Each structure stands twice: as structure tokens, then as C-alpha cells.
Amino acid sequence: MSHSNYRRKYSLVASKQMVGIFISVWVKQELQSKCRVSNVKVCSVACGIMGYLGNKGSVAVSMLIESTSFCFVVAHLASGEKKGDEGRRNHQVSEIFKRTCFPKTPKDHYPHPSTILGHDQIFWFGDLNYRLYLQGSLARRLIVRQDWKALQQFDQLRMEREAGVFEGWKEGNIEFPPTYKYSWSNCNRYSGNFPSRSGEKKRTPAW
């Protein structure tokens, strides 16, 4: 779809950027002509270096379509494959839930939720940086076999969810190869396949 056609069919509701984290929410003009879109609010939470810089954290948009509340969250969490790095990511998730706030205003048309979990429909996207508890060579073999089910048994996010992080949330079916981390010089292979030749760090693929 060309940019001009896109702008004719969709209207920008809100956008927000914090360093490299960006969100934009668009609504079909057809829907907007039939349903009231209101109470649009944005919020950013910085929880990077020292817990307050914007290199890690989230940006979020809250809105109503008629009387149904929607919240869209984009997050970039702490990186790292070392033992304990998942704890840093879990802590940042907790901070995002705790510090994201959508204050009420006199212009609100309906009672509006002030927190993420207060919304009727919530969507969370982004680079969450959870890894696979698996040796890189074995992960690559399972990828070649396209055995996504076996890979998911070692998925860190899945395990952390079972332990209580994102409790009650649902993730879509994963029927595609891990998207982390492709080589900067060749998007058809994972980073570090030829570390001595390219100087790339060898990373275990992950979602």
C-alpha cells in the first residue's frame, strides 16, 4: 500500500517516542466515522541505565472506542544472556506496570482507566529480549528442522510467564523461526555463524 493510499484509509490517533522506542496508533477512517474515538492519552516509562534513562522502558497509548478501553504498549527491555538477566527484564516489566499512568482530565467522555491493567483490551509489543535456555548449536539445529514446538520448551519468556510474569496474558501462536539475532551484513543468517571471519559476536537465536 502506498503512503498516500494509507493516509486516505487510516487516521493517526496518537504517537509517542522515547529515544529508540516508538509507537503510533492508527484507526481506519471507516471505523472512525461510525464509532467515537476519545480519551486518547500517552505515557512513557524510562527504566534503562540507573533505572531512569530512556534507552530501555516503554511508551503506551490509551484510548476509548465508544465505551471500550484499549491500551497499546511498546517496550524495549534489558538485553543479555547471562544468568540473572531475565530478572532485570522481569523487574522492568513490573516497573512499566507500576509507573504507567493515564491521568483523568475534564475532557474525558467516560470513566477512564489510569493503569495498563485497568483497560478492557491490552496489547503489548516490542523487543522484550527474553532468550532461549539452550546452547546455540542445538538451537540452530532445531531451527533447521523447523521444530518450533521443541524450541518453545526452552523459551525464557514462556517460563517466566509460568512463574508469574505477564500472568493471565495470552501470546499468539509461534510458527516462525526466531527473529534474534540476524547478521547486520546478511539478513538471511544469524549473527556469529562465522565469528572469526566477520567479527560478529555469536548469539543464541531467540524470539
Side-chain angles (χ1 to χ4, degrees), residues 24-81:
S24 65
V25 177
W26 299 72
V27 174
K28 269 191 173 182
Q29 292 182 359
E30 178 184 357
L31 174 65
Q32 202 167 21
S33 65
K34 298 177 181 178
C35 302
R36 184 187 185 99
V37 178
S38 63
N39 292 27
V40 179
K41 306 169 190 284
V42 297
C43 179
S44 60
V45 173
C47 48
I49 299 171
M50 303 297 291
Y52 286 97
L53 292 190
N55 61 313
K56 296 291 187 289
S58 67
V59 290
V61 172
S62 172
M63 57 188 279
L64 294 182
I65 299 180
E66 294 295 338
S67 60
T68 301
S69 59
F70 290 81
C71 185
F72 303 91
V73 183
V74 174
H76 187 193
L77 304 182
S79 61
E81 295 186 30

Side-chain angles (χ1 to χ4, degrees), residues 38-201:
S38 63
N39 292 27
V40 179
K41 306 169 190 284
V42 297
C43 179
S44 60
V45 173
C47 48
I49 299 171
M50 303 297 291
Y52 286 97
L53 292 190
N55 61 313
K56 296 291 187 289
S58 67
V59 290
V61 172
S62 172
M63 57 188 279
L64 294 182
I65 299 180
E66 294 295 338
S67 60
T68 301
S69 59
F70 290 81
C71 185
F72 303 91
V73 183
V74 174
H76 187 193
L77 304 182
S79 61
E81 295 186 30
K82 300 188 302 295
K83 184 177 181 180
D85 284 338
E86 70 279 4
R88 295 166 56 216
R89 292 185 270 277
N90 294 344
H91 176 71
Q92 289 174 349
V93 170
S94 176
E95 286 293 296
I96 290 168
F97 278 124
K98 182 169 64 177
R99 291 162 51 192
T100 299
C101 181
F102 304 103
K104 294 178 173 59
T105 70
K107 295 182 180 180
D108 290 348
H109 292 95
Y110 296 94
H112 195 92
S114 60
T115 64
I116 293 174
L117 294 177
H119 290 75
D120 299 315
Q121 301 290 334
I122 313 165
F123 301 87
W124 190 299
F125 313 91
D127 182 0
L128 305 190
N129 261 319
Y130 287 96
R131 307 302 171 91
L132 290 176
Y133 287 119
L134 201 60
Q135 288 186 345
S137 57
L138 179 54
R140 284 172 166 79
R141 286 201 295 271
L142 291 173
I143 290 169
V144 170
R145 287 160 44 187
Q146 298 187 9
D147 194 343
W148 315 137
K149 189 173 182 179
L151 277 172
Q152 288 174 56
Q153 300 302 313
F154 302 93
D155 182 52
Q156 191 178 80
L157 177 57
R158 175 179 175 175
M159 295 181 182
E160 295 303 313
R161 285 176 57 209
E162 291 174 352
V165 179
F166 288 110
E167 184 176 3
W169 289 63
K170 295 180 181 179
E171 186 177 24
N173 293 331
I174 299 177
E175 298 177 350
F176 53 88
T179 52
Y180 172 90
K181 180 180 185 180
Y182 289 115
S183 168
W184 63 269
S185 61
N186 185 344
C187 63
N188 291 317
R189 67 174 177 83
Y190 290 105
S191 176
N193 279 1
F194 308 104
S196 59
R197 185 191 310 173
S198 64
E200 296 173 342
K201 293 182 179 179

